Amino acid sequence: MIRLENIYKYYYSESSVTQALRNVNLEFSKGEFVAITGESGSGKTTLLNVISGIDTYDEGEMYVNGQPTFQYDDDDWEAYRRNKIGFVFQNYNLIGHYTVLDNMISALLILGVGEKKAEKKALKYLEKVGLKGFEKSRASKLSSGQKQRLAIARALAKETDIIMADEPTGNLDSETGLQIIKLLAELSKEKLVIMVTHNYEQAQDYVTRKVKIHDGEIVLDVAVNTDKRINYKAEQPSDDKNADAGEKLGNQPKNTQVDLNQKRKEENSIARYFAWKNFSTQKLRGLLFIVFFMVVSTASFLFLGQIYSNIDDSSTKKYDDSVYYNGDKTRISVRKKDGTSFNKSDIEKLNKIKYVKNTDICDKADDINYYCEEGKDYKYSYGAVESDGSSYGALDPDDSSSSYSIRTQSENNWTFAKGIKKAVKQDMNVNFIKKNKFMRSVSCITKSDLVKGSLPKKNNEVVVYSKDSSVVGTTKRFYFTAKNIWGMDGYYYEDMKITGCLKEETEQAYFAESLCNMLSSSADGAKFKIDFMYDTKTDSYQGSYKLIPIYSETRDNLYDSSADMTEDEDTKDRDYDYRNGVPSGEKARASCNTQVTLNNLGTYDETYDEDATAMMGTDRLTITKKDKNGELTGESDKLVLEVTKEVTDYSDRFIEISKHLYYKYFKNESNQAAVYISNYAKTDKVIKSIEKLDKNYEAVSAYRMSLGEYNDEKVSERLVTLGIALGVLVMLIILEIFILRSLMKIKIKDYFVLKFIGMKLNTINKISIMEMFSYCAVTIVFVIVAANIIALCGSRVMIDMLAYYTIPFYLIFIVYNLILCGVTVKAFNKLLVQRMIKN
Ligand code: ADP
Ligand code: MG
């Protein structure tokens, strides 16, 4: 069957060459039980490996069934090992965590036997070696003798003619070893059994031939026990049949594409079987891998997310508050292209869009600050009056750097103005501490948002949140500033009646639409023109700055028909020229601060207040409507402008007119709405939806519209964030390659066994690919699902994070993890191939 002719085998190392086999000439036939003996290092294993095709020879020729093997390539040797040789090893080479049956079945699967047939065969050969009843035991739980029996059964199941056993009794006690030898002797009746042993005495009664090797040379080759074994040569099956097999082996037709596909499919299904077997028999180990993948995928989920959400560099730009004073990121400004106003049905429509929290019909008022907590939002400061009567402007009582507070102590000649507000009222200042509260109109809420009361309808009505709902019905002073809209730093105030109490805790107060519209009406300065500061000498108006028209719900209606002034009466009462005709008694009022400007012209009727600080007077004022294009229309009203103490607390640009006149010029309507979304990250999405909803809508992000130059500090902050995230991702790659590779090393032992029982390296690699990718996929899915569940449970951090994560992010995340897994498995497989080739 096997004939070795002048075989030489060398092992090369850096410094020397070992002659492991020298001029070996041997011939083996079926029915022989050959014992190869010799000292340790004499070349027994090498000889066995050469015969079984595990190792190649360097010189000479080996004939298999009469056919030379010099032309065998790797595939041929593999086929030879598979189809011709059954192996039994000293260390059994079993997969410890598989059951006895699985060890058998997996070996047969590798050979291409179908699963059902494999099981049948497995049971048959297990019975033959006396392992019936142990099928379901784990291989690692067997005694050493049973393990070797299992290894023999596995070799037998291949149904090859040759069994090679390398020190099969090396790890067994003598009694168990003897049983194994008896078993091999029994088998050798139908096969060729070649056994390496350094304990010849144990086997001497059973073998048929003794071959002794020394320093790589055959020093003895004798037949023994010839009397006990008869006719083994006669029973030798015809070499012809086997020669055919050899021929087939040697001249295998080259693989066609169909074969390759078929082969790949088979390989895949085998790899799948083992990948699953490995997981199901070693769940703890599987868990270890899953935990590791979990760490990697969680970290990459977070840090890839950091990068992904930082791609938008808007956070690094300076906010320019000249248009949108309120930099709320979640605010989207909506207008209609035809310039018309928004109404309730627009709000309903907009509120239905996904991610929209609420819609404020008065967008412009959302840039107006309000202040309602004295000491927190604002504080007062007062003027001081010296004992000699000279006065000082308002001083900040909290300003310890000013010596004011010391001077108010009694020993000097200052008197503190606090408490005598009236006398120096013009010196009272309101200082606004925090500009963080912005108006919202009542359109953002509904009655159901209140625990008590009703929604505000009038200018001087408001709803707020309070723990104590008895605030409803009380009055509170609110100050308002709107630098952008009014074009000045002044303020407006109103003593507001709290009409309702909100359910949910918030600092946000909600105001009547009419107040919102009134305070923001001058944002549309183009709609009207106010002329004032009438100069009798030139017969023209000198007033050049913007006046802000207001009306009061509480003060008397300025329109007083009973007091309609005739020209005569008027001339009597007021000393100015009515040549241009004074209107039918409509009045306007300005705060006495406005007198400062009037004073300069000197053409008005003036009287001094008894405090000798406020100057009263009258002027005339004309309001003229403008058309769409900003051109003046003929429509106008001429009013008597009273500069009066009654309006003293307003800054110098408010002009109070009657409600009736107000509505005539300034429609209580808003042509710009604000849509508030749940998350800034959804800005683009919502803008798209709004513009899709109605072709007449135009939407912009108030925040983005207001971004100007880059802010260096924030740019570097962003770069640091990106750098850290990138660093972590790179670290993850390194970490995964090293840690996972070393984790996978615990599998190498199994892979060696698989290789020994004939699995191709390619298939082994596929097992690790399948196993690792399954773990990876499981954790990817887990992380995504877990993150979304956490968000659903209401975690703010997670909700904010996921808002940025769109489908492309998830794709990047998945691809990153799969590539990482792929690279690692590849690195591991490379390592595996190196190890396998070495051994
Ligand atoms: P035995 O099985 O009889 O103990 P071996 O066949 O394992 O002996 O070894 C024979 C000789 O070849 C020894 O000198 C050993 O050091 C050497 N040898 C065996 N395998 C290798 C190898 N893979 N690389 C280098 N030298 C080897
Ligand atoms: Mg050896």
Side-chain angles (χ1 to χ4, degrees):
M1 283 176 92
I2 303 276
R3 186 154 58 89
L4 303 176
E5 237 181 55
N6 308 324
I7 291 288
Y8 285 81
K9 170 80 189 167
Y10 308 100
Y11 284 118
Y12 301 92
S13 69
E14 276 163 32
S15 54
S16 62
V17 180
T18 311
Q19 247 189 357
L21 294 176
R22 307 176 199 205
N23 195 26
V24 173
N25 286 285
L26 288 168
E27 190 170 358
F28 303 105
S29 315
K30 211 177 210 177
E32 282 189 291
F33 184 10
V34 186
I36 296 174
T37 67
E39 298 132 33
S40 179
S42 57
K44 304 183 296 289
T45 300
T46 308
L47 177 60
L48 200 81
N49 287 350
V50 165
I51 295 169
S52 56
I54 291 171
D55 222 336
T56 51
Y57 50 90
D58 295 313
E59 279 174 41
E61 182 59 275
M62 181 168 96
Y63 296 89
V64 176
N65 298 325
Q67 296 294 315
T69 58
F70 68 89
Q71 82 281 28
Y72 275 23
D73 60 16
D74 283 353
D75 284 346
D76 295 329
W77 280 120
E78 196 184 291
Y80 170 73
R81 287 195 300 269
R82 234 171 214 269
N83 304 326
K84 297 272 167 194
I85 315 285
F87 294 97
V88 178
F89 306 91
Q90 177 175 359
N91 57 358
Y92 327 120
N93 276 333
L94 299 171
I95 299 176
H97 51 94
Y98 283 18
T99 62
V100 167
L101 190 62
D102 282 339
N103 265 285
M104 294 290 290
I105 290 175
S106 45
L108 289 164
L109 284 179
I110 290 170
L111 297 173
V113 180
E115 230 177 304
K116 277 219 179 94
K117 209 170 159 197
E119 190 175 337
K120 232 174 159 183
K121 268 194 185 181
L123 291 171
K124 172 177 157 194
Y125 287 102
L126 282 174
E127 193 175 354
K128 190 155 187 171
V129 298
L131 279 179
K132 201 179 170 187
F134 289 93
E135 292 86 352
K136 293 275 178 275
S137 313
R138 277 191 160 222
S140 57
K141 294 269 160 66
L142 297 177
S143 72
S144 34
Q146 286 169 328
K147 280 179 186 164
Q148 198 57 290
R149 277 169 195 278
L150 174 56
I152 291 170
R154 187 177 61 188
L156 285 177
K158 282 176 82 174
E159 295 176 342
T160 55
D161 290 338
I162 306 167
I163 299 262
M164 305 290 255
D166 190 358
E167 309 252 11
T169 61
N171 286 347
L172 306 178
D173 61 70
S174 53
E175 199 179 316
T176 328
L178 195 62
Q179 284 173 10
I180 293 298
I181 287 181
K182 281 180 184 169
L183 179 62
L184 288 173
E186 180 68 27
L187 299 172
S188 70
K189 284 176 186 161
E190 292 156 17
K191 293 178 191 286
L192 165 62
V193 177
I194 303 176
M195 173 178 76
V196 163
T197 179
H198 61 266
N199 185 1
Y200 177 69
E201 289 75 46
Q202 190 182 36
Q204 64 185 357
D205 289 344
Y206 303 93
V207 296
T208 64
R209 183 171 168 188
K210 180 183 182 186
V211 174
K212 193 170 178 193
I213 187 165
H214 182 74
D215 258 353
E217 264 181 310
I218 306 297
V219 291
L220 181 76
D221 181 7
V222 290
V224 290
N225 301 323
T226 39
D227 49 327
K228 289 182 188 166
R229 265 285 189 78
I230 35 160
N231 281 346
Y232 67 82
K233 268 203 165 156
E235 257 187 55
Q236 197 178 324
S238 81
D239 260 3
D240 295 346
K241 204 175 107 200
N242 288 309
D244 284 350
E247 210 140 31
K248 233 194 264 159
L249 203 62
N251 309 312
Q252 265 178 351
K254 285 298 149 200
N255 295 321
T256 63
Q257 193 56 47
V258 180
D259 284 344
L260 281 176
N261 282 343
Q262 184 63 30
K263 237 171 143 184
R264 196 172 309 130
K265 252 187 212 162
E266 257 165 44
E267 253 173 32
N268 287 346
S269 84
I270 291 174
R272 212 172 304 127
Y273 173 89
F274 280 93
W276 175 245
K277 238 329 64 90
N278 283 349
F279 174 74
S280 58
T281 57
Q282 290 194 309
K283 296 215 175 74
L284 239 99
R285 197 175 279 188
L287 214 69
L288 186 68
F289 279 101
I290 286 180
V291 166
F292 176 76
F293 275 108
M294 200 70 87
V295 170
V296 172
S297 51
T298 307
S300 61
F301 192 75
L302 299 177
F303 287 95
L304 269 175
Q306 273 296 319
I307 291 182
Y308 191 76
S309 51
N310 261 299
I311 286 172
D312 173 12
D313 68 350
S314 58
S315 65
T316 65
K317 287 179 179 163
K318 283 181 193 148
Y319 189 81
D320 171 13
D321 64 10
S322 60
V323 177
Y324 293 102
Y325 194 73
N326 174 3
D328 190 329
K329 282 181 158 190
T330 64
R331 171 182 172 196
I332 292 172
S333 260
V334 190
R335 279 187 208 215
K336 292 183 179 177
K337 284 178 188 159
D338 61 10
T340 54
S341 306
F342 282 83
N343 54 41
K344 289 263 168 335
S345 76
D346 288 311
I347 306 299
E348 271 167 32
K349 251 162 72 180
L350 289 167
N351 278 342
K352 278 192 190 128
I353 294 173
K354 201 176 173 196
Y355 306 120
V356 169
K357 274 201 325 206
N358 51 47
T359 303
D360 191 337
I361 202 165
C362 311
D363 181 43
K364 287 164 191 161
D366 296 11
D367 287 317
I368 299 177
N369 288 108
Y370 69 89
Y371 315 84
C372 54
E373 306 290 342
E374 186 179 354
K376 251 169 88 189
D377 297 345
Y378 66 91
K379 63 184 181 189
Y380 294 114
S381 61
Y382 303 99
V385 177
E386 229 176 329
S387 54
D388 66 4
S390 52
S391 63
Y392 287 78
L395 296 165
D396 182 353
D398 290 343
D399 183 3
S400 55
S401 69
S402 123
S403 45
Y404 169 70
S405 55
I406 300 166
R407 282 191 225 146
T408 58
Q409 304 300 311
S410 57
E411 96 281 353
N412 56 43
N413 56 358
W414 291 87
T415 47
F416 182 37
K418 196 168 185 175
I420 49 165
K421 281 187 221 170
K422 197 165 186 269
V424 285
K425 200 157 187 180
Q426 81 286 2
D427 281 339
M428 187 199 83
N429 258 4
V430 187
N431 304 300
F432 300 107
I433 301 164
K434 278 191 195 158
K435 300 203 167 201
N436 59 349
K437 293 177 177 171
F438 290 91
M439 289 181 86
R440 288 271 180 105
S441 89
V442 70
S443 66
C444 295
I445 55 170
T446 63
K447 183 101 208 304
S448 63
D449 292 315
L450 303 179
V451 271
K452 193 180 165 191
S454 56
L455 298 174
K457 286 191 188 72
K458 290 181 175 170
N459 277 6
N460 60 337
E461 291 177 345
V462 67
V463 294
V464 295
Y465 166 78
S466 170
K467 273 183 211 141
D468 178 8
S469 65
S470 69
V471 292
V472 174
T474 61
T475 303
K476 196 172 195 181
R477 179 160 292 192
F478 278 68
Y479 287 90
F480 301 89
T481 63
K483 194 178 167 196
N484 293 353
I485 296 175
W486 301 339
M488 60 160 187
D489 281 322
Y491 61 85
Y492 175 84
Y493 77 81
E494 188 83 62
D495 288 322
M496 309 283 284
K497 196 177 150 201
I498 297 170
T499 59
C501 182
L502 293 162
K503 257 183 213 157
E504 234 176 87
E505 186 170 355
T506 173
E507 288 215 311
Q508 184 68 52
Y510 294 92
F511 302 90
E513 281 172 32
S514 59
L515 181 68
C516 293
N517 285 328
M518 183 181 92
L519 294 181
S520 61
S521 64
S522 53
D524 276 342
K527 282 186 175 170
F528 53 85
K529 181 169 180 260
I530 298 177
D531 289 310
F532 62 105
M533 285 167 70
Y534 181 69
D535 185 354
T536 45
K537 284 175 200 149
T538 55
D539 189 19
S540 62
Y541 290 100
Q542 304 292 310
S544 56
Y545 55 77
K546 195 152 97 178
L547 285 183
I548 301 139
I550 53 170
Y551 69 91
S552 169
E553 300 268 8
T554 49
R555 271 183 288 279
D556 353 346
N557 195 332
L558 292 175
Y559 176 73
D560 183 358
S561 56
S562 69
D564 263 5
M565 287 176 282
T566 64
E567 205 165 307
D568 286 347
E569 276 169 336
D570 254 36
T571 323
K572 243 185 266 166
D573 284 355
R574 295 187 174 78
D575 184 25
Y576 66 86
D577 185 13
Y578 279 90
R579 271 169 305 176
N580 292 323
V582 164
S584 59
E586 283 268 16
K587 280 191 221 168
R589 282 171 175 170
S591 80
C592 50
N593 289 332
T594 316
Q595 48 88 26
V596 178
T597 354
L598 296 173
N599 196 18
N600 294 334
L601 286 165
T603 56
Y604 53 90
D605 172 32
E606 65 176 43
T607 56
Y608 283 92
D609 178 57
E610 67 261 26
D611 297 329
T613 49
M615 211 176 284
M616 303 298 120
T618 45
D619 189 3
R620 65 178 65 180
L621 174 146
T622 304
I623 304 179
T624 315
K625 231 181 190 167
K626 283 182 177 179
D627 65 14
K628 261 190 205 163
N629 307 318
E631 302 294 326
L632 291 174
T633 64
E635 203 178 333
S636 68
D637 275 286
K638 290 190 167 70
L639 311 176
V640 173
L641 174 64
E642 279 190 349
V643 178
T644 162
K645 258 170 67 180
E646 280 173 71
V647 219
T648 50
D649 281 345
Y650 296 138
S651 303
D652 59 3
R653 296 204 187 174
F654 291 101
I655 296 289
E656 188 175 315
I657 55 175
S658 68
K659 190 172 179 180
H660 138 87
L661 199 63
Y662 183 89
Y663 275 89
K664 182 172 167 191
Y665 284 94
F666 314 107
K667 272 195 192 151
N668 204 356
E669 284 178 346
S670 166
N671 62 354
Q672 194 168 306
V675 165
Y676 288 92
I677 56 178
S678 54
N679 199 300
Y680 170 63
K682 302 298 179 199
T683 300
D684 291 324
K685 235 179 188 169
V686 175
I687 287 179
K688 256 188 216 158
S689 311
I690 291 174
E691 297 187 338
K692 228 168 92 185
L693 189 68
D694 190 330
K695 285 208 171 75
N696 196 18
Y697 289 154
E698 261 179 321
V700 292
S701 157
Y703 173 73
R704 288 197 197 154
M705 285 295 285
S706 306
L707 293 177
E709 296 160 44
Y710 284 102
N711 176 333
D712 293 340
E713 208 172 286
K714 282 186 175 164
V715 167
S716 47
E717 227 170 72
R718 172 171 173 259
L719 287 179
V720 168
T721 309
L722 281 175
I724 289 174
L726 258 167
V728 168
L729 291 173
V730 170
M731 281 241 313
L732 279 182
I733 296 176
I734 296 167
L735 199 81
E736 171 141 340
I737 290 178
F738 281 94
I739 293 193
L740 193 57
R741 212 172 69 158
S742 47
L743 272 180
M744 285 170 81
K745 278 183 192 164
I746 56 180
K747 295 183 158 290
I748 282 189
K749 217 185 116 209
D750 290 351
Y751 289 157
F752 270 106
V753 173
L754 293 177
K755 194 215 164 189
F756 278 126
I757 60 179
M759 186 179 275
K760 289 182 195 164
L761 253 176
N762 203 19
T763 317
I764 293 175
N765 288 347
K766 270 184 188 166
I767 296 174
S768 46
I769 290 171
M770 279 180 190
E771 256 187 284
M772 294 305 130
F773 274 99
S774 309
Y775 293 138
C776 189
V778 166
T779 53
I780 286 173
V781 171
F782 180 86
V783 166
I784 294 176
V785 170
N788 280 283
I789 287 177
I790 293 171
L792 276 181
C793 290
S795 154
R796 198 65 244 166
V797 181
M798 194 52 87
I799 291 171
D800 287 345
M801 207 167 74
L802 291 191
Y804 279 98
Y805 291 8
T806 48
I807 289 168
F809 166 78
Y810 286 105
L811 290 180
I812 293 170
F813 166 67
I814 291 168
V815 168
Y816 173 87
N817 276 282
L818 290 182
I819 287 181
L820 198 50
C821 180
V823 168
T824 310
V825 173
K826 197 147 190 197
F828 171 73
N829 281 345
K830 210 169 148 189
L831 181 105
L832 195 65
V833 170
Q834 280 168 4
R835 291 273 179 101
M836 296 251 176
I837 287 170
K838 241 195 231 158
N839 278 270

Short mmCIF file of all heavy atoms in Angstrom, two decimals, residues 333-353:
data_model
loop_
_atom_site.label_atom_id
_atom_site.label_comp_id
_atom_site.label_asym_id
_atom_site.label_seq_id
_atom_site.Cartn_x
_atom_site.Cartn_y
_atom_site.Cartn_z
N SER A 333 -38.71 80.46 12.16
CA SER A 333 -39.57 81.58 11.79
C SER A 333 -40.29 81.26 10.50
O SER A 333 -39.66 80.87 9.52
CB SER A 333 -38.71 82.82 11.55
OG SER A 333 -38.74 83.64 12.67
N VAL A 334 -41.59 81.44 10.51
CA VAL A 334 -42.36 81.14 9.31
C VAL A 334 -43.10 82.40 8.85
O VAL A 334 -43.68 83.13 9.66
CB VAL A 334 -43.40 80.02 9.58
CG1 VAL A 334 -44.03 79.56 8.29
CG2 VAL A 334 -42.76 78.86 10.31
N ARG A 335 -43.02 82.64 7.55
CA ARG A 335 -43.79 83.74 6.95
C ARG A 335 -44.57 83.20 5.78
O ARG A 335 -44.32 82.10 5.31
CB ARG A 335 -42.82 84.78 6.36
CG ARG A 335 -42.28 85.72 7.36
CD ARG A 335 -41.50 86.77 6.61
NE ARG A 335 -40.46 87.29 7.46
CZ ARG A 335 -40.08 88.56 7.41
NH1 ARG A 335 -40.63 89.38 6.54
NH2 ARG A 335 -39.13 88.98 8.19
N LYS A 336 -45.50 84.02 5.33
CA LYS A 336 -46.20 83.65 4.10
C LYS A 336 -45.65 84.51 2.98
O LYS A 336 -45.42 85.71 3.15
CB LYS A 336 -47.69 83.88 4.27
CG LYS A 336 -48.32 82.92 5.26
CD LYS A 336 -49.79 83.15 5.33
CE LYS A 336 -50.45 82.20 6.30
NZ LYS A 336 -51.88 82.49 6.40
N LYS A 337 -45.46 83.88 1.86
CA LYS A 337 -44.84 84.59 0.74
C LYS A 337 -45.69 85.78 0.30
O LYS A 337 -45.16 86.79 -0.13
CB LYS A 337 -44.62 83.64 -0.43
CG LYS A 337 -43.44 82.72 -0.21
CD LYS A 337 -43.25 81.75 -1.36
CE LYS A 337 -42.20 80.73 -1.01
NZ LYS A 337 -42.31 79.52 -1.82
N ASP A 338 -47.01 85.63 0.44
CA ASP A 338 -47.86 86.73 0.00
C ASP A 338 -48.02 87.81 1.08
O ASP A 338 -48.79 88.75 0.92
CB ASP A 338 -49.23 86.21 -0.46
CG ASP A 338 -49.96 85.50 0.67
OD1 ASP A 338 -49.50 85.59 1.82
OD2 ASP A 338 -50.98 84.85 0.39
N GLY A 339 -47.31 87.66 2.20
CA GLY A 339 -47.30 88.69 3.21
C GLY A 339 -48.52 88.72 4.11
O GLY A 339 -48.62 89.59 4.98
N THR A 340 -49.43 87.79 3.96
CA THR A 340 -50.65 87.83 4.77
C THR A 340 -50.38 87.31 6.18
O THR A 340 -49.34 86.74 6.46
CB THR A 340 -51.77 87.00 4.12
OG1 THR A 340 -51.26 85.69 3.89
CG2 THR A 340 -52.22 87.62 2.82
N SER A 341 -51.38 87.52 7.03
CA SER A 341 -51.21 87.20 8.44
C SER A 341 -51.49 85.73 8.71
O SER A 341 -52.12 85.04 7.92
CB SER A 341 -52.18 88.03 9.27
OG SER A 341 -52.01 89.37 8.96
N PHE A 342 -51.05 85.32 9.88
CA PHE A 342 -51.32 83.95 10.33
C PHE A 342 -52.62 83.93 11.14
O PHE A 342 -52.96 84.90 11.81
CB PHE A 342 -50.18 83.44 11.19
CG PHE A 342 -49.00 83.01 10.37
CD1 PHE A 342 -48.07 83.95 9.92
CD2 PHE A 342 -48.83 81.69 10.03
CE1 PHE A 342 -47.00 83.54 9.15
CE2 PHE A 342 -47.76 81.28 9.26
CZ PHE A 342 -46.85 82.22 8.81
N ASN A 343 -53.31 82.83 11.05
CA ASN A 343 -54.52 82.69 11.86
C ASN A 343 -54.53 81.33 12.55
O ASN A 343 -53.58 80.56 12.44
CB ASN A 343 -55.75 82.85 10.98
CG ASN A 343 -55.71 81.89 9.80
OD1 ASN A 343 -55.32 80.74 9.95
ND2 ASN A 343 -56.09 82.37 8.63
N LYS A 344 -55.57 81.07 13.27
CA LYS A 344 -55.65 79.85 14.10
C LYS A 344 -55.47 78.57 13.28
O LYS A 344 -54.85 77.62 13.74
CB LYS A 344 -57.01 79.80 14.81
CG LYS A 344 -57.15 80.84 15.92
CD LYS A 344 -56.84 80.21 17.26
CE LYS A 344 -56.66 81.16 18.43
NZ LYS A 344 -56.27 82.51 18.23
N SER A 345 -56.01 78.59 12.05
CA SER A 345 -55.92 77.33 11.29
C SER A 345 -54.48 77.08 10.82
O SER A 345 -54.06 75.94 10.67
CB SER A 345 -56.89 77.35 10.10
OG SER A 345 -56.39 78.17 9.09
N ASP A 346 -53.72 78.17 10.61
CA ASP A 346 -52.29 77.99 10.30
C ASP A 346 -51.59 77.31 11.47
O ASP A 346 -50.78 76.40 11.29
CB ASP A 346 -51.62 79.36 10.07
CG ASP A 346 -52.04 80.00 8.75
OD1 ASP A 346 -51.98 79.29 7.74
OD2 ASP A 346 -52.41 81.18 8.77
N ILE A 347 -51.91 77.80 12.65
CA ILE A 347 -51.26 77.26 13.85
C ILE A 347 -51.58 75.77 13.99
O ILE A 347 -50.69 74.95 14.24
CB ILE A 347 -51.76 78.01 15.12
CG1 ILE A 347 -51.58 79.51 14.96
CG2 ILE A 347 -51.06 77.50 16.38
CD1 ILE A 347 -50.18 79.97 14.76
N GLU A 348 -52.84 75.43 13.79
CA GLU A 348 -53.24 74.02 13.89
C GLU A 348 -52.48 73.16 12.90
O GLU A 348 -52.00 72.08 13.21
CB GLU A 348 -54.74 73.88 13.64
CG GLU A 348 -55.55 74.02 14.91
CD GLU A 348 -57.03 74.19 14.61
OE1 GLU A 348 -57.50 73.62 13.60
OE2 GLU A 348 -57.70 74.92 15.38
N LYS A 349 -52.36 73.69 11.68
CA LYS A 349 -51.65 72.96 10.62
C LYS A 349 -50.18 72.75 11.00
O LYS A 349 -49.65 71.65 10.89
CB LYS A 349 -51.71 73.77 9.31
CG LYS A 349 -52.63 73.15 8.26
CD LYS A 349 -53.02 74.15 7.17
CE LYS A 349 -51.91 74.51 6.23
NZ LYS A 349 -52.34 75.49 5.20
N LEU A 350 -49.57 73.82 11.45
CA LEU A 350 -48.14 73.75 11.77
C LEU A 350 -47.88 72.84 12.96
O LEU A 350 -46.89 72.11 13.00
CB LEU A 350 -47.59 75.16 12.05
CG LEU A 350 -47.48 76.06 10.82
CD1 LEU A 350 -47.25 77.51 11.22
CD2 LEU A 350 -46.36 75.59 9.90
N ASN A 351 -48.79 72.87 13.92
CA ASN A 351 -48.59 72.05 15.12
C ASN A 351 -48.65 70.56 14.83
O ASN A 351 -48.18 69.75 15.61
CB ASN A 351 -49.65 72.39 16.18
CG ASN A 351 -49.26 73.62 16.96
OD1 ASN A 351 -48.09 74.01 16.97
ND2 ASN A 351 -50.21 74.24 17.62
N LYS A 352 -49.23 70.20 13.68
CA LYS A 352 -49.36 68.78 13.36
C LYS A 352 -48.07 68.18 12.80
O LYS A 352 -47.92 66.97 12.73
CB LYS A 352 -50.50 68.58 12.35
CG LYS A 352 -51.84 68.54 13.06
CD LYS A 352 -52.95 68.07 12.17
CE LYS A 352 -54.29 68.30 12.84
NZ LYS A 352 -55.21 69.02 11.99
N ILE A 353 -47.14 69.04 12.40
CA ILE A 353 -45.89 68.55 11.82
C ILE A 353 -45.08 67.82 12.89
O ILE A 353 -45.06 68.23 14.04
CB ILE A 353 -45.07 69.74 11.25
CG1 ILE A 353 -45.83 70.35 10.07
CG2 ILE A 353 -43.68 69.30 10.82
CD1 ILE A 353 -45.19 71.61 9.55
#
